[in-house]
Each structure stands twice: as C-alpha cells, then as structure tokens.
Amino acid sequence: MRTSNGERVHIAIFGNTNSGKSTLLNYITGQETAIVSATHGTTTDPINKPMEIHGLGPVLFIDTAGINDQTDLSDKRITKSVSVLEKADLFLYVLSLEDDLSFVEKLKAKNKPIIFIAPKQDLEIGKEIAEKFKDLNPLAINVETDDRYKLFDKIKEIAADDGPLTLTGRLVKKGDTVVLVMPQDEAAPKDRLIKPQVMTIRELIDKDAVCISTSLENLSNTLSVLKNPPDLIITDSKVFKDVYKQKPEASKLTSFSVLMSGFKGDVEYFRESVKVLDKKIENVLIAEVCTHPPIDEDIGTVKIPKMLRKKYPDINIDFARGEDFHNIEKYDLIIECGSCMFNRASVMNRVKQCKEKNIPMTNYGMTIAYLQGILDKIDYQV
C-alpha cells in the first residue's frame, strides 16, 4: 500500500521569487519536478512532491510561490503559499540578497523548525548570500556538486523527536492478541480496506502482536475459538455498541476512529468536547476530510446526523469537506472524521482554532461512543 500524504512529514519551501526554491526542489528530488525560469512568478500553485528519506521515512516537499510575488495573480498565489504554513511540519527558507526577512517572522510565529538555505554556491552571488545572512547559520548548498544528503541529514537531525506517534500506543504490546472488527459495507472502497484498518494491521505486525480480522457477524465465532479473551478489540465505530455487548469482560475495546483521534489530533480535547452533547445545542459542523460522494450508509452524512437528530430534532447540521474549515464561530460542536488523509499538523491547526474560539471539537468515534452511552467503557491512547 502506498503511503498517503497524511502520514508524511510535510516540508515546505519558502523564499522570494527567483531565490532558487524550484531549483532546490529539483536538487532534492533528483528530477525536473518544478519549472525553473528567470521569469518572476513561474511557480503558481504549491507543488507537492512525495519521496522517502532513508533514516527518516516518507516526506512531502511543498514548493510555494515567491512570497514577494508582484504578478497579476500575486495575492491569490501568496494566499495559497501562506495556507501551507498550517500543514507544514518543517520549513526550508531559501535566502536571497534582497530578502528583508519579514516573512520569516510569520514562520517563527508557527513555532516550527526552520532550516535557512544559502543557495547558488556555484555562483559568486551565493557566497554573498551566505555572508550577508551568516547570523542565521544557513546551510550553503551547491546543487552542482553537493550530495543531497547534506540537506537530508540536516532535516533528519531537526525532524527527529522521541519517536513517531503510533496508532495503538500503550494499548498493544508484543505478543498481545488483537481482534479487528471490520464490517465492509457500501461505504468501504471496492476490493480494498479503509486506510485506518490497513495502518492498524501493519502496526500490529510490526509490534509482533497476533492480529485477527473478522466481521460483526462472525465476531461471536471468532471469540469462541480463541483460547483466551483477546487483549484488545478494535472495531469500526458504527458497530461500537454491538461489539461492546459481545466483548469479554477482560478485553479492552476501542475503535479505529478513536485511535486516529490520538494519532492525528488531541484525544483528551476530543473526549471532553463531546460531552457538550449533554447540553442543548443548536448548530453542529461535520467536517469530512475526504471528498468522496456520500452514500446511503455514510457515517458522516447519514449515520451520525440521524443519531444527533434523534436526540435534538431541531438541530442544524452543516457539512464541510476537504480543506474547507471557515466561519466556524457559530457552531456549538465540530465533529471531524478520523482525518486519515490529513497530516497531524493540519488537524492540530484545526484544534488550535477551536480552542482559541472556545468551540468544542471531537471526532466520529468519540461521538458515536458517547451517544451510545459507552464512552467511559472504551480505551484510548494519550
């Protein structure tokens, strides 16, 4: 299975027009990924290039339009470039002699790592750039002679942390038996598993856990053939209550969506936010990151709204898809999907907006567990 952009480290490239951003991207990828031209404003929309850095893993480089673009479409181009700030995990800033560094303050305000690049070291102007900005300790790059790992090693050094987040975290250890309840309804992709299921199976294999996949209809038979109760049962959220009724007392229970809330977002905030459903609420936004058309069994546009309207017949429910997340002030609660196609930085930016505006935010799994009265009986990682 191909790694989705949601699991990649996002590295955004910023700088003035003609500073050498596109040349840097081509150097990084070893391909003619971006058009290089002396004409100002050649890069319009952000250019995404996924690749793998040995020792770090899957990454996504994003080349943006020059932040001092003065073309007819400059406002729109710069707006798109600025939108990348929220989803990036790390910034590469390409310096130029005329740079006043005003945009760098916007980067610093995001509290994310910045690597300054002194480009064009094959030219005399490159030496001038390195000297002018020596206080920033820029990485001098000669695209003609330098090995790409000169930059990659710097990225690995900065991107390294205490270890990658995992889906199952403390819930699963080596040798545990885990049962996955994976109903395949019309909402499931044809001949494939949904992304969280695939990610979970792969992680359980890596943890040397015993992984057993089944359907709701076969859950009872699956449990009966096991010598001991499974250590954990992970289910699709829409059958939470049905699985809870069958689970052995000794087994922990969670859902793929709940696991994603810890992997991508702020699980404690989601868990506390959903309790606003105890109160009288009027306006709810359901935010679906994917852009697939909804169908009869769709969890976000059909199942959850039906559950909400049963509790609040007059509730107003709006829907947003993809990166549409604007004018959120009017909502009493925002419910997001598992966000498997977003990276963590993007989800945490939404969490930040909600916290700043005092708007409760949760996700599908937490919502279903709460409305079915079993939130306090499920497990999640922190």
Side-chain angles (χ1 to χ4, degrees), residues 138-299:
L139 185 67
I141 295 292
N142 184 334
V143 298
E144 299 295 329
T145 60
D146 287 342
D147 185 276
R148 289 182 294 168
Y149 266 85
K150 178 178 182 177
L151 175 56
F152 292 168
D153 287 342
K154 186 68 174 178
I155 290 173
K156 288 194 292 183
E157 174 189 332
I158 291 179
D161 52 23
D162 295 331
L165 289 172
T166 67
L167 272 169
T168 57
R170 62 174 178 81
L171 296 178
V172 178
K173 62 183 184 300
K174 182 177 180 178
D176 280 354
T177 298
V178 183
V179 171
L180 309 181
V181 183
M182 307 192 306
Q184 302 300 306
D185 57 22
E186 290 184 17
K190 181 175 172 55
D191 300 327
R192 291 173 288 137
L193 301 176
I194 63 172
K195 183 67 178 176
Q197 293 170 354
V198 174
M199 293 168 61
T200 303
I201 291 170
R202 175 55 198 259
E203 183 172 304
L204 294 176
I205 293 172
D206 289 343
K207 282 190 168 185
D208 287 332
V210 178
C211 176
I212 302 170
S213 301
T214 188
S215 63
L216 178 63
E217 293 75 16
N218 285 317
L219 177 58
S220 178
N221 290 336
T222 302
L223 295 173
S224 68
V225 299
L226 293 177
K227 182 178 180 180
N228 298 305
D231 299 284
L232 176 66
I233 300 174
I234 306 174
T235 180
D236 191 293
S237 295
K238 60 177 167 283
V239 293
F240 238 147
K241 198 165 188 177
D242 298 305
V243 174
Y244 175 72
K245 291 176 180 177
Q246 298 186 49
K247 89 170 189 71
E249 185 176 350
S251 302
K252 300 189 292 289
L253 173 66
T254 191
S255 79
F256 295 103
S257 181
V258 170
L259 291 180
M260 290 299 290
S261 71
F263 185 63
K264 298 282 187 173
D266 187 332
V267 65
E268 294 284 12
Y269 186 62
F270 290 174
R271 191 172 189 273
E272 288 305 309
S273 290
V274 76
K275 296 176 183 177
V276 75
L277 290 172
D278 271 347
K279 307 173 184 177
K280 175 62 176 175
I281 61 174
E282 298 178 353
N283 295 292
V284 169
L285 175 67
I286 295 181
E288 173 77 68
V289 169
C290 293
T291 55
H292 61 78
I295 61 174
D296 290 344
E297 297 185 61
D298 192 77
I299 190 171

